Amino acid sequence: MSKPILAVRDLRVYFEIRSNEGWLSKPQTLRAVDGVTFDLMQGETLGVVGESGCGKSTMARAVLGLVPVTSGEVLFAGKDLAHLDANEMRAQRQHLQIIFQDPLASLDPRMTLGQIIAEPLRSFFPKLTASERQAKVVEIMGHVGLLPEQINRYPHEFSGGQAQRIGIARALILRPEVVVCDEPVSALDVSIKAQILNLLSDLQERFGLSLLFIAHDLASVRHASRRVMVLYLGKVMELAPWQEIYRTPLHPYTQALIQAIPPADPKRARSNPVKPLGGELPSPISPPSGCVFRTRCPHAIERCSLEVPVLRPVAASLVACHLAEQIQAASA
């Protein structure tokens, strides 16, 4: 089996939070990411899903060195990115890029399209001439479906889908190996969303990219991802090939996410209404003991409150659930 291009081991990102009682009060610890482990293979798209607040974006930013890592390893090209100094990390940034969620908010309104896309070239390849930079910008614009005559326009002149294409072009201008897609289609209309997903798939095949694709619902990653990782309260609940996730989900939280996908047939939707997941997402400052999902899980038993479930192989999946085998048998 080939080696992963990116290997994350027991990644933890904690933040110290001061209470409203004053500076003399003892700070509390917010566990945004709590022991996440996964591999990203060359040319693969790994989907990361979960509710808002589960730690998806914080994990992605920690992988890229945009937020400090409390502990764990982020291994890329034989180096642990989590423990590099600022200069060493800067040398690696051209190999790892990010596409942000809000396309317009991520673009400088005072810069033209050409200036925005060329900015990474100015940072990493300052010896390029203006004509060489422009040639590279026009080339990548063609790859993402932008016209050369648009090069001098400003962000406010573009639609949301076009703005996201600019963000994609900016991320790919350096020819990175790993690209983090932080909910790149959540702010777009359904038809535009499909276009951007197809574009990312085409670019991945063209440039041999490895994608970490983050979304808050399983429907968005179904057509893009080879494997899917489900996060809840900073922990991995399930990691499996997408076929297994959709056909035989083994974790109760994954099952709840699958059931939340609205069916395309209105008659089927009326005859089989979605059963909402009960309760609220617990606070990462004071997570439940044992299994963090137990307060919302319909299958929870006493063991779930006493023992933290380990991510372990069950069938073709990795599942963090004490009752995975029973759930598998019940769904067979």
Side-chain angles (χ1 to χ4, degrees), residues 4-8 38-46 60 63-64 74-77 81 92-99 170-172 174-181 204 207-213:
I5 189 170
L6 181 71
V8 175
F38 67 88
D39 290 333
L40 178 65
M41 311 306 293
Q42 176 69 48
E44 178 191 32
T45 300
L46 174 63
V63 167
L64 297 175
V74 181
L75 304 175
F76 174 78
L81 304 182
Q92 299 298 321
R93 291 201 185 281
Q94 71 179 92
H95 306 295
L96 302 100
Q97 290 291 307
I98 183 170
I99 301 169
R170 178 179 57 187
L172 299 187
L174 295 175
R175 296 293 192 269
E177 299 168 61
V178 175
V179 177
V180 173
C181 306
Q204 180 181 31
F207 297 120
L209 302 171
S210 302
L211 303 180
L212 192 62
F213 190 93

Side-chain angles (χ1 to χ4, degrees), residues 190-211:
V190 175
S191 59
I192 304 301
K193 181 184 297 188
Q195 293 177 18
I196 297 300
L197 289 174
N198 290 335
L199 174 63
L200 288 172
S201 179
D202 293 341
L203 293 171
Q204 180 181 31
E205 185 175 352
R206 183 188 297 270
F207 297 120
L209 302 171
S210 302
L211 303 180

Side-chain angles (χ1 to χ4, degrees), residues 18 21-27:
R18 290 280 180 181
E21 298 176 2
W23 290 102
L24 297 178
S25 63
K26 184 178 180 181

Side-chain angles (χ1 to χ4, degrees), residues 79-247:
K79 297 182 179 179
D80 183 3
L81 304 182
H83 296 92
L84 298 182
D85 61 33
N87 291 330
E88 292 172 327
M89 187 62 204
R90 188 180 187 281
Q92 299 298 321
R93 291 201 185 281
Q94 71 179 92
H95 306 295
L96 302 100
Q97 290 291 307
I98 183 170
I99 301 169
F100 293 99
Q101 176 178 355
D102 190 336
L104 287 172
S106 68
L107 305 178
D108 190 332
R110 298 168 296 178
M111 299 174 69
T112 65
L113 181 156
Q115 292 171 331
I116 291 170
I117 298 177
E119 189 174 18
L121 293 176
R122 294 190 186 94
S123 298
F124 288 95
F125 302 100
K127 294 183 179 181
L128 288 176
T129 65
S131 59
E132 289 173 332
R133 280 198 305 270
Q134 181 163 343
K136 289 181 178 294
V137 169
V138 171
E139 179 187 5
I140 198 66
M141 285 174 61
H143 288 315
V144 301
L146 295 169
L147 301 175
E149 52 264 31
Q150 296 174 317
I151 195 168
N152 291 318
R153 295 185 183 178
Y154 288 87
H156 72 271
E157 300 179 70
F158 294 94
S159 66
Q162 290 174 319
Q164 193 59 285
R165 291 175 188 268
I166 299 172
I168 294 172
R170 178 179 57 187
L172 299 187
I173 191 72
L174 295 175
R175 296 293 192 269
E177 299 168 61
V178 175
V179 177
V180 173
C181 306
D182 187 7
E183 301 200 38
V185 296
S186 63
L188 304 178
D189 294 335
V190 175
S191 59
I192 304 301
K193 181 184 297 188
Q195 293 177 18
I196 297 300
L197 289 174
N198 290 335
L199 174 63
L200 288 172
S201 179
D202 293 341
L203 293 171
Q204 180 181 31
E205 185 175 352
R206 183 188 297 270
F207 297 120
L209 302 171
S210 302
L211 303 180
L212 192 62
F213 190 93
I214 297 171
H216 62 268
D217 66 290
L218 281 163
S220 297
V221 302
R222 180 172 185 176
H223 302 292
S225 304
R226 182 181 303 172
R227 293 184 300 143
V228 178
M229 180 169 67
V230 181
L231 285 186
Y232 182 82
L233 217 61
K235 292 180 176 291
V236 179
M237 298 291 101
E238 188 166 358
L239 175 59
W242 73 266
Q243 299 97 328
E244 299 297 325
I245 288 286
Y246 283 90
R247 293 174 188 171

Side-chain angles (χ1 to χ4, degrees), residues 261-280:
I261 300 175
D265 184 0
K267 294 182 179 179
R268 181 183 168 194
R270 286 192 294 267
S271 63
N272 188 24
V274 174
K275 297 178 181 179
L277 185 63
E280 295 291 333

